[in-house]
């Protein structure tokens, strides 16, 4: 028995570096895929990395699933579904493949089936960022009506994402919107302020963080914190990227708040 155990250890040893290399190639491909550059070069490099991973481990389900995502980007749903199904044959718990099938279901208007897929993915992999984001988005998409229960379920996804990465600005922003929906102004303000604290990230190409000053101002205003609201509206009106309409709206709100501050206190 001891000799058999030692043989297993000896056989398993050389496999560890290869498994690490497969994971490294997959993560490189995933990072390239998420770049979404207009030239298409990143997508081509991503496909190369996925195929290199699969050359070392043909059953590595996440890499197969990402080939499906590339097929979706190329408007090839049949090829995409085949990749997702193949990934699940190799690993029935593959979260990436479940997310891919959810995309196909949503495109066909089958929201219930999409939610079933991503909920299955999250149950199997409760810390898979792709599955958590997909579930939250599918629960709150504007293309379908969402109940308060769906929004609360999405909030648990964003909270988990923040537990995994406190600097996830998009999760803070989504959670702020959810708290605002439920009238929890202090929590909404806290998460909007986190967005401002984190600021523009290197992954962004659109300048929009400045507009969150207006969100913070609105939450402060709801709580009667008029001086803080004025400061945020002023920050918005002087931010790079603010348009004339945004600036005009901010200045009008500042005037309203100044009048409220100047008004005599109500008599008891």
């Amino acid at each position: 028995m001891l000799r058999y155990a030692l043989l297993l250890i000896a056989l398993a040893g050389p496999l560890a570096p290869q498994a690490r290399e497969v994971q490294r190639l997959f993560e490189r491909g995933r990072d390239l895929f998420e770049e979404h550059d207009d030239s298409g070069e990143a997508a081509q490099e991503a496909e190369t990395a996925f195929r290199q991973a699969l050359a070392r481990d043909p059953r590595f389900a996440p890499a197969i699933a990402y080939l499906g995502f590339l097929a979706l980007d190329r408007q090839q749903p049949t090829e995409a579904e085949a990749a997702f199904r193949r990934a699940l044959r190799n690993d029935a718990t593959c979260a990436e493949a479940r997310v891919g099938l959810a995309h196909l279901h949503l495109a066909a208007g089958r929201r219930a089936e999409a939610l079933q897929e991503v909920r299955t993915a999250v149950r199997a992999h409760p810390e898979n960022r792709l599955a958590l984001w997909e579930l939250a988005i599918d629960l709150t998409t504007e293309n379908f009506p969402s109940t308060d229960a769906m929004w609360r379920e999405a909030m648990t996804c964003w909270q988990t994402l923040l537990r995994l990465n406190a600097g996830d600005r998009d999760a803070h922003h989504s959670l702020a919107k959810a708290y605002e929906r439920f009238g929890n102004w202090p929590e909404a303000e806290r998460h909007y302020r986190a967005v401002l604290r984190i600021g523009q990230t290197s992954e962004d190409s659109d300048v929009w963080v400045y507009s969150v000053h207006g969100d913070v101002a609105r939450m402060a205003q709801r709580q009667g914190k008029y001086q803080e609201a004025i400061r945020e509206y002023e920050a918005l009106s002087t931010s790079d990227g603010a348009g004339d309409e945004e600036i005009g709206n901010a200045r009008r709100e500042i005037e309203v708040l100044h009048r409220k501050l100047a008004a005599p206190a109500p008599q008891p």
Side-chain angles (χ1 to χ4, degrees), residues 17 35 118-119 129-130 141 156 175 179 182 229 240 249 252:
E35 283 186 18
V118 285
R119 282 170 173 150
R129 296 178 58 79
L130 179 68
T141 178
T156 65
L175 201 51
Y179 278 120
F182 288 110
D240 291 338
N249 289 337
R252 283 190 290 274

Side-chain angles (χ1 to χ4, degrees), residues 29-30 34 37 45 49 51 69 71 90 113-114 140 145-146 156 171 173 193 197 222 244 252 259 263-264 267:
R30 183 183 58 193
E34 291 173 356
D37 67 318
E45 292 179 25
R51 294 196 183 281
F69 288 130
N90 291 343
E113 290 86 344
T140 58
S146 296
T156 65
H173 190 255
R193 287 192 182 279
R197 184 178 66 254
R222 293 273 191 167
D244 292 341
R252 283 190 290 274
R259 287 198 295 270
Q267 294 298 319

Side-chain angles (χ1 to χ4, degrees), residues 87-144:
L88 287 172
R89 285 196 298 273
N90 291 343
D91 177 3
T93 71
C94 179
E96 293 80 6
R98 296 282 179 194
V99 169
L101 290 177
H103 286 190
L104 293 172
H105 285 308
L106 280 181
R110 299 187 296 266
R111 188 193 197 188
E113 290 86 344
L115 288 173
Q116 181 178 348
E117 292 288 357
V118 285
R119 282 170 173 150
T120 300
V122 170
R123 280 196 299 270
H125 299 278
E127 295 188 349
N128 184 285
R129 296 178 58 79
L130 179 68
L132 287 165
W133 266 114
E134 184 67 25
L135 179 55
I137 290 170
D138 293 352
L139 285 164
T140 58
T141 178
E142 294 180 357
N143 296 329
F144 298 94

Side-chain angles (χ1 to χ4, degrees), residues 169 200 203-209:
R169 191 200 62 189
Q200 202 73 30
E203 291 81 9
D204 289 329
S205 58
D206 297 327
V207 178
W208 63 272
V209 167

Side-chain angles (χ1 to χ4, degrees), residues 141-173:
T141 178
E142 294 180 357
N143 296 329
F144 298 94
S146 296
T147 64
D148 284 352
M150 288 179 171
W151 271 88
R152 293 192 186 281
E153 184 180 355
M155 289 172 74
T156 65
C157 295
W158 294 317
Q159 288 163 346
T160 301
L161 287 162
L162 288 175
R163 178 173 57 78
L164 296 171
N165 176 16
D168 189 332
R169 191 200 62 189
D170 293 333
H172 278 294
H173 190 255

